[in-house]
Amino acid sequence: MARIAMLLANPFRPDPRVLKEARSLTDHGHQVMIICWDRENAYPASERLAPTLQVRRLQGIRSSYGIGARQILPLMRFWLASTPALNAFDPDVVHCHDFDTLPAGLLWGKFHRRRVIYDAHEHYADLVKPRLVGRMGTWLYRVIHSAESVCASLADAVITVDETLAAIYRRLHNNVIVLGHYPPIQMAQVATPVFSRAELTMVYAGRLSSDRGLQLYADLLRNLINQGIPARLKLVGVFTPKQEEQLFASAVQGLETHVEITGWLPYDTMSEALRTADVGLALFQSEARYLNAMPVKLFEYMACGLPVVASDFPAIASVVRSADCGALVDAHVGAQDIARILISWWMKPENPQRLGENGRKAALNMYNWENLEKRLINLYLELLGQAASPG
């Protein structure tokens, strides 16, 4: 079977999508090495997660996260450092996660006549656009957009997360497959006793920032407490950027005993954390990059049997409505209106319990990784010149 190198520009602690793909490939006989960038030298330089699954972290290249001129030199140093790591492993396929690894993977792959896959978790140019301001920002956006388009067209295949992104990349490439952010099926095999406990616990899992609803969650908690609902807010993630932590602390002043912040959690423990809650929140604000996004947390909430309260954006709404698993709200709605929904659920718990069970059944039957895995395996068989299995 094949040797596969996965490139990513974070330290892999581990990234859920990368881990699911890597495990699927090793389960089908391939050997996988994840070559990643540990910017803060915070993790082991090498790990073996399974007999045929290794992690190699490139260290000594200090850098913050983000985008801008200051990131260009460290990123190029990461690309250079990845070359000897690729030479040593000598992969048959280079699987590049997100655009910031694709130039390095393409250069090595094309020089050595090996297959290259671009795994576009998001449309990178649009992802970074809000952080690019002024004339320099406009120029940099155009450069990134053009570079991503060219590099994507040079890859042997493109993987992305939903049909909206797939439509973008199909204008550039004729071999595009969709692998959604679905959780493993075992996450959906146990129900959660939502709205049957002494407190109403709301959970949000992901990067903690105002554009992802952080300040709204604080306002929602305060509104519920003021109306006599024994509410709690559980946040699973890290503040991004760091100054968001102080803004949130000010917003929940006096309510600290009603807030739990777990920080980042290993993916294998995520379902345990979610099952302590009664409702999953995904109240993204109106930014272009979120309008058609399909957040992984939505499917994790559903798999754990949590009813969801989410922004009424097209991609999210299509899932919530088809599964009948929660409530959709306008992105500009205030905390008071969202509180009315949760109070009505608190008063009639059979309603959110039904919605949560609907979501869990949808995850069991449709929105699970096992339903997607065959697409990934068949893509590799195709690229390696082997016969793909049906489906």
Side-chain angles (χ1 to χ4, degrees), residues 158-274:
V158 176
I159 299 173
T160 193
V161 301
D162 57 46
E163 288 297 337
T164 300
L165 288 176
I168 295 174
Y169 291 107
R170 285 184 180 124
R171 295 196 291 265
L172 306 170
H173 208 291
N174 61 7
N175 192 4
V176 178
I177 69 167
V178 175
L179 297 178
H181 283 311
Y182 299 170
I185 197 168
Q186 63 262 29
M187 188 178 281
Q189 290 173 341
V190 178
T192 300
V194 297
F195 286 83
S196 63
R197 295 168 282 207
E199 293 180 309
L200 193 171
T201 300
M202 305 173 290
V203 68
Y204 167 78
R207 286 184 289 181
L208 308 180
S209 59
S210 298
D211 60 328
R212 291 169 178 252
L214 185 60
Q215 297 302 308
L216 182 56
Y217 304 150
D219 293 343
L220 178 58
L221 175 65
R222 188 175 298 278
N223 199 290
L224 289 170
I225 294 293
N226 288 344
Q227 296 191 61
I229 302 298
R232 291 185 59 79
L233 175 62
K234 185 170 189 171
L235 300 175
V236 181
V238 295
F239 293 95
T240 307
K242 190 65 177 174
Q243 55 263 36
E244 291 279 4
E245 185 171 8
Q246 185 56 50
L247 293 173
F248 179 74
S250 297
V252 295
Q253 189 172 8
L255 300 177
E256 290 84 356
T257 58
H258 298 271
V259 177
E260 178 186 359
I261 304 173
T262 70
W264 179 86
L265 292 178
Y267 186 68
D268 290 342
T269 68
M270 180 62 72
S271 62
E272 180 182 347
L274 295 181

Side-chain angles (χ1 to χ4, degrees), residues 1 8 12 38-39 50 54 56 64 89 94 126 171 181 184 186 188 202 207 216 242 255 267 285 310 341 359:
M1 287 294 181
L8 64 156
F12 184 74
D38 183 1
R39 304 175 189 225
Q54 303 175 67
R56 178 172 178 184
S64 59
F89 185 58
V94 184
D126 288 338
R171 295 196 291 265
H181 283 311
Q186 63 262 29
M202 305 173 290
R207 286 184 289 181
L216 182 56
K242 190 65 177 174
L255 300 177
Y267 186 68
Q285 301 303 287
I341 296 171

Side-chain angles (χ1 to χ4, degrees), residues 10 13 32 50 60 119 124 134 153 155 204 206 220 225 231 236-237 251 260 262 290 293 296 313 330 335 359 374:
N10 64 58
R13 55 186 185 179
V32 177
D119 200 327
Y124 192 79
S153 69
Y204 167 78
L220 178 58
I225 294 293
V236 181
E260 178 186 359
T262 70
Y290 296 139
V296 62
F313 295 154
D330 187 276
K374 190 173 288 185

Side-chain angles (χ1 to χ4, degrees), residues 11-12 32-36 44-49 53-57:
F12 184 74
V32 177
M33 176 175 283
I34 298 170
I35 300 171
C36 52
S46 63
E47 286 185 275
R48 187 177 291 274
L49 303 183
L53 176 54
Q54 303 175 67
V55 180
R56 178 172 178 184
R57 295 185 175 92

